[in-house]
Amino acid sequence: MTGATIPGTLLFAAVALPALGAAASWPLRGRVRSAVVAATILASAAAALRLVVTIARHPDAATLELTGPAGLTVPLVADGLAAALILLVALVGTAVGVHALLEDRAGSPRRHPGHWPLSLLLWSGLTALALVGDLLSAYLLLELIGLCGALLVTFRGGRAPLLAGARYLVAELVASLTMLFGVALVWWQAGTVVYSELAAALADAPLGWVGLAVITVGLLVKMPLAPLHIWLPAAHTQAPSAVSPFLSGVMVKAAVLVLARLWFLSTPDLLTEDAARLLGGMGALAVVWGGLTALRSTGLKRLVAASTVSQLGLLLLSVPLVAAGALQGWTGALVLVVSHGVAKAAMLLAITCMAESAADAEVVLVGDGRPPPMGHDPQLHRLSGSATRRPVALLAFGIAALSLVGLPPTGGFIAKWYLLLGAVALERWWVVAVILLGTLLTAAYLTRFLLQAFATPEEDPPARAWDGRDVVALLLATSTLVFGLLPRLLVDLAQVGAPVMVS
Amino acid sequence: MVAASIGGALFLLGLLLTFRTPVLIGRLLPLAAMAAGSLVLVAGVASPERAGTVTVMALTVVPMLLAARWLEVRLDRDRDAPTSLDEQPR
């Protein structure tokens, strides 16, 4: 490691610890495996949080170079963007991991032997992706992440998860090949794939711009952005309860990170106003599409999957703001990355607990596939009385819902506030309108669920119940309150290595 | 030379898969293999100094192909089961 202003051992630990845990947990079974997984989760989270704090203390982005065997070098970037993803992975990874370990301890059906190795490998891959400073490494890590994600979806057992995983894999394959061609084109034109060298190298290379556009299309499929999201609802719905939160909260941000690094931090001059407006327009479409789909969804996991499509659109709405020089857009997007991820994961952990106490857990989670007429849901009524049955889980859901809607005092509110500040400063009133419409839609589909949870059940409500898993969901949801009450935590982090746009 | 050979092998694999995997992802897998193979072939012939890295990139498609094939075999195993994504998971 050369040129390090951040200890190399810390970077290595943040990436290597989960990977080592993945390798160690592979041959193990039973309590020994659980102990190794628990130790890995705690150690990895501690290393990740230490790294985030170290990055936050630096005024600028730190660039480093990892020298491997045979003189192979991998450039690394430790900036606010990287820190945001690493923080999100650590928070959600820890909560989901502990939730799953408690589920195993409570005697839930046997977990697939590949679950822990692939989950920990995913953690390692996402952390590495946040730090790498070249397109080639990013491509390879996105491949690893996509493969792990698609296989994890199938681990629930049964034909439907297999089909969902297969669809996911095909979408990943198409996206990867598209990106591969784009990277090859950029490399041919620029002679480099290092982010920091692309701007100068592509200045007089028209085909390089085409390469960047092709990469962008591949990344939008990987995200996925509506209407390229056809694989997402099935994959997120059919995934096991210990996988969905990671998919919906964290994995969808992987492609966003590469997109942001590519357009804002390496080739900002190449992003024309029209291109930025096009991406923002696609984001606006996703906000409305996802919101309306969520309103008509049967099953809670379907509802949450549609909500993810909508929230990803909100992230893209920041593109025209940042491209026009409004740093508030960048700050809002970064806060949204973390607060949405945490809230979405907490929500999914909470609904797993609530569905357990419902009349038919599977129907409540997955739905029956028949879209109900607007305003009437034949499945959510099964959740009546959840407020009495699982109050702690419902509280976690409620806090997460506040953040998704964007109400104070949550991280979601801070994110939307900064996005609105940027839009108003630039007088982009259509962005303001879409954010407000998205907020109304989010409030509508989440209220639909909350009303059912507080409704009185027809039969006598069973006894009040909660366990450690409900508490884990609540603790994760509470972190969105921390980001709302102490906004400088994320806002200051976003300024480390923030883009300087020429507008 | 090595890169061009790998590219050619990937291309042939894609061609072979076209006739061997008629269902589900069988339509896309061969295309993926052929596309990756073509890329390496071109890189191997036109720009030998970058061919090694392009080969590594293209070979990352192989685990995806294997995973997709594994899923396809598992799906074939219970072909009689309902095919809707909305069915109740076991």
Side-chain angles (χ1 to χ4, degrees), chain A residues 136 139-140 143 147 151 154 156 159-160 162-164 167 169-170 173 177 180-181 183 187-188 234 238 302 362, chain B residues 25 28-29 32 35 39 50 53 57 60 63-64 67-68 70-71 75 78 81-83 85-90:
Chain A
L136 181 59
Y139 165 78
L140 294 173
E143 286 281 285
L147 188 60
L151 290 178
T154 67
R156 193 172 183 196
R159 191 171 170 80
L162 274 177
L163 274 171
R167 267 193 194 182
L169 201 62
V170 169
L173 202 54
L177 281 171
L180 182 66
F181 277 104
V183 174
W187 201 9
W188 173 39
Q238 296 294 343
R302 278 185 193 282
E362 293 300 342
Chain B
I25 27 197
L28 275 165
L29 291 187
L39 189 74
R50 291 177 199 164
T53 318
M57 286 164 71
T60 57
M64 285 268 196
W70 175 72
L71 279 175
L75 279 166
D78 45 27
T83 52
L85 283 173
D86 305 316
E87 70 175 285
Q88 290 307 297
R90 281 201 292 262

Side-chain angles (χ1 to χ4, degrees), chain A residues 238-480:
Chain A
Q238 296 294 343
S241 60
V243 176
S244 300
F246 220 77
L247 289 182
S248 280
V250 184
M251 272 189 67
V252 292
K253 312 287 168 45
V256 175
L257 175 128
V258 180
L259 209 58
R261 210 175 268 303
L262 192 63
W263 283 115
F264 293 141
L265 298 172
S266 69
T267 59
D269 297 346
L270 295 178
L271 183 63
T272 62
E273 200 174 327
D274 286 341
R277 207 176 290 142
L278 176 68
L279 285 171
M282 290 171 76
L285 176 72
V287 169
V288 179
W289 189 321
L292 290 176
T293 309
L295 266 179
R296 288 180 59 79
S297 295
T298 59
L300 275 174
K301 282 173 93 174
R302 278 185 193 282
L303 185 150
V304 174
S307 159
T308 300
V309 173
S310 176
Q311 299 282 328
L312 284 174
L314 207 55
L315 269 177
L316 271 203
L317 271 181
S318 68
V319 173
L321 305 182
V322 184
L327 196 59
Q328 298 100 321
W330 176 260
T331 307
L334 244 69
V335 178
L336 188 64
V337 162
V338 181
S339 58
H340 165 259
V342 165
K344 193 53 68 72
M347 189 172 266
L348 279 161
L349 292 179
I351 63 174
T352 303
C353 299
M354 283 186 283
E356 238 178 49
S357 305
D360 189 335
E362 293 300 342
V363 172
V364 167
L365 284 176
V366 179
D368 63 357
R370 292 190 298 270
M374 193 72 83
H376 170 70
D377 190 327
Q379 303 307 335
L380 288 186
H381 76 275
R382 294 167 196 266
L383 281 165
S384 299
S386 288
T388 313
R389 286 192 291 255
R390 301 296 284 245
V392 178
L394 185 64
L395 180 60
F397 186 98
I399 295 171
L402 283 182
S403 187
L404 285 186
V405 175
L407 293 176
T410 61
F413 168 73
I414 303 297
K416 284 191 178 174
W417 178 254
Y418 271 92
L419 286 176
L420 284 170
L421 279 181
V424 170
L426 293 170
E427 297 185 353
R428 299 286 159 90
W429 303 114
W430 67 273
V431 175
V432 175
V434 175
I435 292 173
L436 294 179
L437 179 62
T439 300
L440 283 176
L441 285 170
T442 311
Y445 61 70
L446 290 176
T447 305
R448 192 174 134 233
F449 161 76
L450 283 168
L451 284 177
Q452 282 300 334
F454 281 103
T456 310
E458 288 165 11
E459 70 277 13
D460 291 336
R464 181 171 300 205
W466 59 274
D467 57 32
R469 292 171 301 155
D470 300 55
V471 178
V472 170
L474 181 60
L475 285 175
L476 187 61
T478 308
S479 61
T480 68

